Amino acid sequence: MKIAGLASNRGRNLRHIADVAPGGAELSVVLTNRENAPVLEAATERRIPTEVVARDEDESRAAHERRILDRLSGYDFDIVCLDGYMRVLTDEFLASAPTTLNVHPSLLPSFPGMDAHEQVLDSGVRTTGCTVHVVTEAVDAGPIVTQEPVPVYADDDADSLKDRVLHDAEFTAYPRAVRWFAEDRVTVEREDDGDGTGDATSVTVEGDVGGDFPERRFVSEERADTLRYGENPHQDAALYVDDGCEEASVVAADQHNPGAKGMGYNNYNDADAALNLVKEFDEPAAAVIKHTNPAGCATADTLADAYDRALRTDAKSAFGGIVALNRECDADTADAVVDSFKEVVVAPGYTDSALDVLREKKNLRVLDVGPLGEGDDRFSERFTEKPIVGGRLVQERDMQSPTAADLEVVTEREPTDEQLETMVFAWKTLKHVKSNGILFATGTETVGVGMGQVSRVDAVALAAMKAEKDAEGKSAEGAVMASDAFFPFPDAIEEAAEAGIEAVIQPGGSVNDEDVIAAADEHDMAMAFTGSRCFRHD
């Protein structure tokens, strides 16, 4: 799609559209009504042809526009985009030119005209933005194509608001509108005047729908705190809160240790990972997290026992880690937590005696997230998000929770009931291990964890090494191994057999599944497929 751009000054929106080429659209010409307008140099730098058609002192609007149309007639274009073009166009121009768009720096129909930002500030509204609309002879009254909001802050003036509306709203909305036209998704309805050139009356956009993954999203969050620093001391950071979240979270948690240091970026990140892990289990569960990965996790009849089993998986790595519990923390568990250095403990409540113990550690952050709920009620947030440069990835949360009955046994040897229980536990825990992830478990406790490896064989070797060197009173001998994705070759099974693994849970689905199963049979291992993987890449 080709664009004819009209601007009277700098034409920053036109320059931005030229740079990002939304939907493959290109500017075929930039025309201005002012000699020496800065947009001319900017267009020339981008090798876009330019035209200057200044209005003569005694020239009528209609005559001036006829000269503009005549000058544009030598160019191929499908749409006209105005950008700070300081002339009101007449019906003659609009009837002769293709659909003409303009961007206005407010959320029309509020605050039309030349001084939109001043009007916004005078009105006291807390949200403004921009509007891309089809141009009609009535100023700022044409049908709306799209809008983009921005907040108005108490310390704003017209200049700061203008700058933010331009960069945060116009640079988003105008390319979006152009892309929609380039993709032939926009229908402009016009008055029936017999020749199809009447005023535009309405706009519809094909596919502009809502649902789980809507065409457009507006995210509104408020800053809850400025953090001491980000992942590293040279990085600034802040915490923003979604007040609509109903799920128990570390963001909304009360901190029960007065005088302790505030939560940092890494503390929040790790505490969130720890809490999400223990939410997986109905039984009393404890997890110790380091750098968002489980150093250990376990369920047991009592919370203190679950914590002890989780810690003994890798007490060395747990030093300075995060503890999460899915039951009210009692004094016995608190005594065990403070026995070694921890940064944060997260739980859905604490007994008074537990708080007395935990508060003895001056800088231990004690977070109370409130009731976790039961079953599926523990999870109200359906989606997870990851910001990337230039955008944001959104996906459904990994809520899979297979039971023993869901597993497909593929080996000659059948897993025992105890191994099936361990497989289910291991899979729930493995969902929270960075890929490539391998987890060794016995009963309902971890034995060794191999995380974040670029080779699955290396992940197996790491889990075996951690089980042998760092697990206290545990062994990989006779354990269950869980893999977050299929084994592409039998070599990882060979590595696991050498470590003493007797049963495996994995997704299956490799072209080499038969070879992998044969290797398991050769080592008298039981193996079950889940039919789905549980990658975690962030």
Side-chain angles (χ1 to χ4, degrees):
M1 189 182 76
K2 303 293 186 181
I3 303 168
L6 274 61
S8 297
N9 193 14
R10 286 180 284 182
R12 287 187 288 182
N13 276 296
L14 293 181
R15 289 152 50 186
H16 182 64
I17 288 170
D19 292 340
V20 300
E26 298 178 350
L27 280 155
S28 59
V29 61
V30 169
L31 183 146
T32 181
N33 61 332
R34 287 182 53 216
E35 300 280 356
N36 301 319
V39 71
L40 295 171
E41 182 179 354
T44 300
E45 289 175 352
R46 291 164 174 78
R47 299 184 178 181
I48 301 169
T50 60
E51 298 286 349
V52 179
V53 183
R55 183 179 176 185
D56 295 336
E57 186 174 346
D58 298 326
E59 187 177 22
S60 68
R61 289 169 58 199
H64 181 231
E65 289 180 359
R66 282 194 293 272
R67 286 202 298 125
I68 291 174
L69 288 166
D70 181 64
R71 196 73 65 88
L72 291 177
S73 65
Y75 297 92
D76 178 27
F77 59 97
D78 306 289
I79 195 171
V80 177
C81 289
L82 308 184
D83 182 16
Y85 185 68
M86 308 305 289
R87 307 298 305 176
V88 177
L89 297 174
T90 67
D91 281 344
E92 181 174 353
F93 180 94
L94 298 173
S96 301
T99 296
T100 300
L101 301 180
N102 187 40
V103 60
H104 180 77
S106 77
L107 297 175
L108 293 173
S110 298
F111 316 120
M114 297 288 293
D115 56 350
H117 301 306
E118 288 79 359
Q119 292 181 63
V120 165
L121 294 170
D122 290 343
S123 73
V125 299
R126 291 292 176 258
T127 302
T128 184
C130 76
T131 302
V132 180
H133 63 96
V134 177
V135 176
T136 60
E137 192 169 21
V139 176
D140 298 333
I144 293 169
V145 179
T146 191
Q147 294 179 305
E148 187 75 15
V150 295
V152 180
Y153 301 122
D155 62 350
D156 268 326
D157 57 23
D159 288 339
S160 64
L161 197 57
K162 178 180 179 181
D163 184 70
R164 192 162 61 257
V165 168
L166 173 68
H167 289 94
D168 294 352
E170 295 178 29
F171 280 6
T172 296
Y174 217 163
R176 176 196 300 144
V178 170
R179 175 171 53 81
W180 284 349
F181 274 91
E183 294 171 348
D184 197 25
R185 294 172 54 189
V186 184
T187 300
V188 179
E189 299 290 342
R190 299 183 180 275
E191 292 178 349
D192 186 6
D193 59 2
D195 62 0
T197 59
D199 263 355
T201 56
S202 67
V203 167
T204 56
V205 180
E206 180 184 352
D208 187 24
V209 296
D212 289 342
F213 297 99
E215 171 74 15
R216 292 168 291 123
R217 296 196 324 146
F218 300 132
V219 178
S220 178
E221 297 172 341
E222 294 192 25
R223 191 184 68 207
D225 198 6
T226 299
L227 305 180
R228 290 181 297 130
Y229 53 81
E231 285 182 289
N232 300 289
H234 64 276
Q235 295 170 270
D236 293 335
L239 172 68
Y240 285 82
V241 173
D242 174 9
D243 286 326
C245 177
E246 298 177 353
E247 185 173 328
S249 73
V250 296
V251 171
D254 294 325
Q255 187 165 330
H256 283 328
N257 199 356
K261 291 185 295 185
M263 292 279 287
Y265 181 100
N266 294 329
N267 299 140
Y268 274 113
N269 199 30
D270 290 343
D272 176 68
L275 179 60
N276 286 335
L277 172 51
V278 295
K279 284 179 183 177
E280 295 278 356
F281 302 103
D282 295 318
E283 307 82 8
V288 183
I289 294 288
K290 195 69 173 292
H291 300 169
T292 73
N293 274 301
C297 180
T299 66
D301 292 336
T302 69
L303 197 62
D305 191 22
Y307 174 72
D308 176 66
R309 295 177 184 215
L311 181 67
R312 286 190 295 106
T313 304
D314 190 358
K316 178 178 69 175
S317 296
F319 183 84
I322 310 291
V323 174
L325 313 167
N326 72 348
R327 294 288 195 279
E328 180 183 64
C329 180
D330 54 31
D332 287 343
T333 308
D335 280 330
V337 169
V338 300
D339 193 47
S340 60
F341 173 56
K342 301 294 185 298
E343 292 275 6
V344 181
V345 58
V346 185
Y350 300 84
T351 65
D352 289 341
S353 55
L355 287 176
D356 289 341
V357 172
L358 296 170
R359 285 170 176 162
E360 292 176 2
K361 294 294 183 178
K362 180 180 178 182
N363 281 320
L364 176 65
R365 291 80 148 190
V366 180
L367 301 186
D368 185 345
V369 298
L372 300 186
E374 297 182 1
D376 291 342
D377 291 339
R378 291 192 290 259
F379 309 99
S380 66
E381 297 295 292
R382 288 187 55 210
F383 300 95
T384 62
E385 302 186 11
K386 176 180 175 59
I388 58 176
V389 175
R392 184 177 294 266
L393 297 171
V394 181
Q395 67 173 344
E396 285 187 305
R397 200 167 173 180
D398 186 357
M399 302 293 286
Q400 61 175 319
S401 184
T403 66
D406 297 322
L407 303 181
E408 177 191 3
V409 178
V410 294
T411 49
E412 295 174 1
R413 177 177 173 180
E414 291 274 342
T416 65
D417 289 344
E418 183 180 2
Q419 286 173 335
L420 287 171
E421 181 186 21
T422 302
M423 287 179 177
V424 170
F425 163 82
W427 190 260
K428 289 181 179 180
T429 306
L430 184 64
K431 286 166 52 180
H432 302 266
V433 176
K434 289 184 181 178
S435 299
N436 286 321
I438 293 290
L439 186 139
F440 292 178
T442 56
T444 57
E445 61 183 281
T446 50
V447 171
V449 186
M451 72 286 284
Q453 301 302 301
V454 294
S455 161
R456 192 157 299 279
V457 177
D458 288 348
V460 175
L462 177 58
M465 183 272 287
K466 298 295 286 184
E468 180 182 354
K469 292 187 175 181
D470 295 324
E472 180 185 340
K474 303 186 184 190
S475 171
E477 192 69 38
V480 168
M481 176 174 72
S483 173
D484 63 352
F486 62 64
F487 293 104
F489 304 104
D491 49 3
I493 299 298
E494 302 291 343
E495 188 81 24
E498 189 173 328
I501 295 296
E502 292 187 358
V504 177
I505 179 173
Q506 59 130 324
S510 168
V511 295
N512 292 319
D513 272 350
E514 290 186 6
D515 293 340
V516 172
I517 294 169
D521 284 334
E522 183 180 344
H523 291 285
D524 196 28
M525 285 184 187
M527 182 181 292
F529 286 178
T530 64
S532 61
R533 70 188 189 198
C534 60
F535 272 156
R536 179 182 163 223
H537 284 158
D538 60 351

